Amino acid sequence: MTDLAAALSREQSLLLTTMAHKYLMESEWPVWQFTVDQVQPYLQRVADVLVGAGLAEQQDVVVQRLAGDALAAAVVLNHAGAQALVWDERYGWRTAVSRRHPIGKDTGTPPEGDGIRYLSTEQQPEAAELLAALTDGRRGSRRPDTIHPAGLAEVYAEAERLEREEGPLVWNRGDAVRQHLGASAADDYLARVTLAA
């Protein structure tokens, strides 16, 4: 991750947590999380690509809502390397060791262990990218590189954690860029944001 990307990521995180506090108090939280209708067509396309590659039988992908409002789905494979592929909006795609219960019990932490491999840092990678990662055992990781908040509860929990560790959240546009890259980079960033508006 570049310094600019890290700075912007931190700035976005601060913005989201500050927004969480503000909107929770005013009950005006914007809806941003996925809906079943938004993700089901994507998940079905991935399943169809896996069928075309001979790695799965034709199946209708069913999206489940887990505790904490996270969405998840599974595609059962007929491939000896993994029993199933699981998509979770928080962690992206991973392999699973069970065909019968591939999603498993939601504990609020990413599943880990033998046979579990996270295949992409993106929530919705292209099906071809996912297929390549699945068939290349060198790709992927034992833990998700990125965890995407699935709902308001997770954003609020992160805001509370940051406040406990760092004190009250105060955010001004450009703060993270200024902190990580300096005043001139922040001024440049703010000028570009103003021009874009």
Side-chain angles (χ1 to χ4, degrees), residues 50-126:
L50 294 170
V51 169
L55 298 177
E57 299 298 322
Q58 187 63 46
Q59 57 195 285
D60 291 327
V61 177
V62 177
V63 181
Q64 301 176 28
R65 186 168 299 281
L66 306 176
D69 273 347
L71 297 179
V75 178
V76 177
L77 302 175
N78 57 15
H79 171 48
Q83 298 296 314
L85 275 185
V86 173
W87 177 84
D88 184 310
E89 72 177 303
R90 299 166 295 183
Y91 318 125
W93 287 96
R94 67 173 170 84
T95 58
V97 295
S98 172
R99 290 171 64 89
R100 190 170 185 185
H101 302 289
I103 295 172
K105 183 178 179 181
D106 183 31
T107 62
T109 59
E112 297 179 17
D114 291 337
I116 295 178
R117 189 166 48 106
Y118 289 86
L119 302 175
S120 176
T121 59
E122 296 179 37
Q123 283 179 303
Q124 295 185 356
E126 293 296 323

Side-chain angles (χ1 to χ4, degrees), residues 14-25 29-30 152 155:
L14 286 171
L15 172 62
L16 283 175
T17 52
T18 302
M19 286 174 60
H21 278 282
K22 177 182 185 282
Y23 288 115
L24 277 174
M25 297 305 160
W29 184 254
L152 182 57
V155 172

